Amino acid sequence: MENIAEEGIRPFNVIIVFFSATGNTRKIADVIENKLSEFNVSVTQFDISSPQDRNKSISFSDYDAVFFGFPIYSLRAPRVCREWLMRQNGESKRCSVFFTYGGFGKEPAHYYIKELLEERNFSLVSTAEFLGAHTFNYSGWQAAQGRPGPSDLKVAEDYTIKTLERFRADDLITVTDFEKPPFPAEQLDEAEKYRFHLITQLPTRDGKECCLCMQCEELCPTGSMDAVRGVVNPESCIACFRCIASCPEGVLHTNDIANSWENKLKMHNTTKEEIDRMESRIFL
Ligand SMILES: Cc1cc2nc3c(=O)[nH]c(=O)nc-3n(C[C@H](O)[C@H](O)[C@H](O)COP(=O)(O)O)c2cc1C
């Protein structure tokens, strides 16, 4: 790998590609960008949350290294992100992946993203996981409220420095091997397709009036929202709640699932306090 960046001839060139429906993953991307700028690194952010942006192409050969940021949906990076990645060519570039998640399952995310990135000709040097308020808190859960918080952002700074060291090192050191999860990918595909429909209903305006700013329709990651009718297409909606989070009038909502919260905790043999105490982590 070239070392001219360190020698001050030109800045090291990094792209941060991320998907963020409700803002947690974007917060970590911003911390990484700020930290990198302290080290003579030129940073480009590329947001792939909307379908229009996922249709633009990135030439990875224009960059020295890549950060990818994804939320965890049903134990892995969201399907729309994996499908986008399947169309990319990593051009042998070094990369790192950071996830945000709501305090439940996350191990398969690291294993499966490594497999996918290597298939696409990227070299994965590190990964990280950050606590982030669970999307379903919009419907009454209380998982990882207020996260990412100051302690998570500190881990994000540390992660940036350690990853940059690996990006710039002469020798390639790839991230540790992750244990193969007990759930085959096909089983997770099924869970991702149907599970959340059992928990939450789809976002709706319930016939209420709104100013028709169209933001929910423009920002929907799968083009599922019909702003005029105030309903989503149940076939393609991924329940990311970007429409709810971005509605300036707060008129979009889903059903209240507060009564499933205790069951969720029991199913995972955990407590709200235990999740609150969880820490963000770096994997090298
Ligand atoms: C459909 C869906 C499935 C999710 N599955 C998980 C999961 O398996 N484990 C978990 O801890 N959090 C899960 N979450 C919560 C998100 O990972 C978490 O809130 C994330 O920080 C959201 O990122 P964003 O704000 O950048 O969109 C899920 C969220 C959604 C919308």
Side-chain angles (χ1 to χ4, degrees):
M1 155 160 291
E2 297 172 85
N3 242 340
I4 38 180
E6 273 187 336
E7 288 156 18
I9 296 167
R10 66 164 174 83
F12 198 71
N13 219 350
V14 169
I15 183 165
I16 306 174
V17 182
F18 68 94
F19 177 102
S20 186
T22 61
N24 296 334
T25 314
R26 176 187 293 278
K27 268 187 206 152
I28 302 298
D30 287 344
V31 171
I32 294 170
E33 175 171 11
N34 284 337
K35 199 71 201 162
L36 286 174
S37 62
E38 294 175 18
F39 295 89
N40 189 27
V41 177
S42 159
V43 187
T44 305
Q45 280 203 5
F46 196 97
D47 181 346
I48 56 163
S49 309
S50 37
Q52 308 85 276
D53 292 321
R54 287 197 302 281
N55 278 331
K56 292 180 191 154
S57 60
I58 302 179
S59 169
F60 287 102
S61 57
D62 294 345
Y63 301 92
D64 294 304
V66 190
F67 280 96
F68 291 106
F70 306 118
I72 289 178
Y73 285 5
S74 303
L75 312 184
R76 285 179 303 175
R79 176 181 52 77
V80 291
C81 300
R82 300 194 314 271
E83 286 173 354
W84 177 84
L85 268 176
M86 307 256 274
R87 301 196 301 271
Q88 309 307 311
N89 179 352
E91 318 248 5
S92 306
K93 294 291 172 182
R94 295 182 186 183
C95 77
S96 177
V97 177
F98 57 97
F99 294 105
T100 66
Y101 74 111
F104 297 101
K106 32 80 196 231
E107 282 81 9
H110 297 269
Y111 176 89
Y112 282 115
I113 207 70
K114 183 166 191 262
E115 191 176 75
L116 177 51
L117 285 165
E118 286 173 355
E119 225 176 270
R120 301 318 302 163
N121 198 19
F122 288 96
S123 299
L124 185 65
V125 305
S126 65
T127 63
E129 58 189 38
F130 298 95
L131 275 298
H134 201 298
T135 312
F136 295 169
N137 292 356
Y138 280 97
S139 312
W141 283 7
Q142 301 165 47
Q145 288 164 316
R147 310 290 286 273
S151 64
D152 307 300
L153 303 190
K154 241 178 137 321
V155 176
E157 290 189 339
D158 193 25
Y159 159 65
T160 309
I161 293 169
K162 291 191 163 109
T163 299
L164 185 59
E165 274 169 18
R166 287 215 169 168
F167 281 165
R168 281 176 153 168
D170 287 336
D171 295 328
L172 170 66
I173 305 171
T174 52
V175 71
T176 173
D177 277 335
F178 298 103
E179 206 172 308
K180 193 171 167 57
F183 324 98
E186 299 71 39
Q187 194 180 329
L188 295 176
D189 288 345
E190 284 303 298
E192 186 170 14
K193 237 191 261 164
Y194 300 114
R195 208 192 66 185
F196 68 82
H197 284 301
L198 302 176
I199 306 170
T200 61
Q201 288 164 12
L202 299 169
T204 168
R205 208 170 65 219
D206 262 353
K208 286 195 212 99
E209 301 254 317
C210 80
C211 66
L212 287 181
C213 70
M214 308 303 280
Q215 199 155 253
C216 56
E217 189 171 308
E218 280 157 22
L219 292 177
C220 175
T222 54
S224 303
M225 171 55 79
D226 179 336
V228 173
R229 291 170 55 225
V231 294
V232 296
N233 178 346
E235 295 305 315
S236 52
C237 173
I238 55 169
C240 70
F241 292 8
R242 196 176 195 205
C243 53
I244 296 177
S246 64
C247 174
E249 298 181 300
V251 289
L252 286 165
H253 67 97
T254 60
N255 55 319
D256 185 341
I257 57 164
N259 59 6
S260 71
W261 171 235
E262 290 302 329
N263 267 345
K264 175 77 179 171
L265 291 171
K266 255 192 225 141
M267 233 171 68
H268 288 263
N269 195 19
T270 187
T271 61
K272 177 181 173 342
E273 292 68 33
E274 213 166 87
I275 296 176
D276 287 342
R277 280 196 298 273
M278 285 172 74
E279 292 177 2
S280 294
R281 291 181 59 195
I282 304 167
F283 298 84
L284 291 167

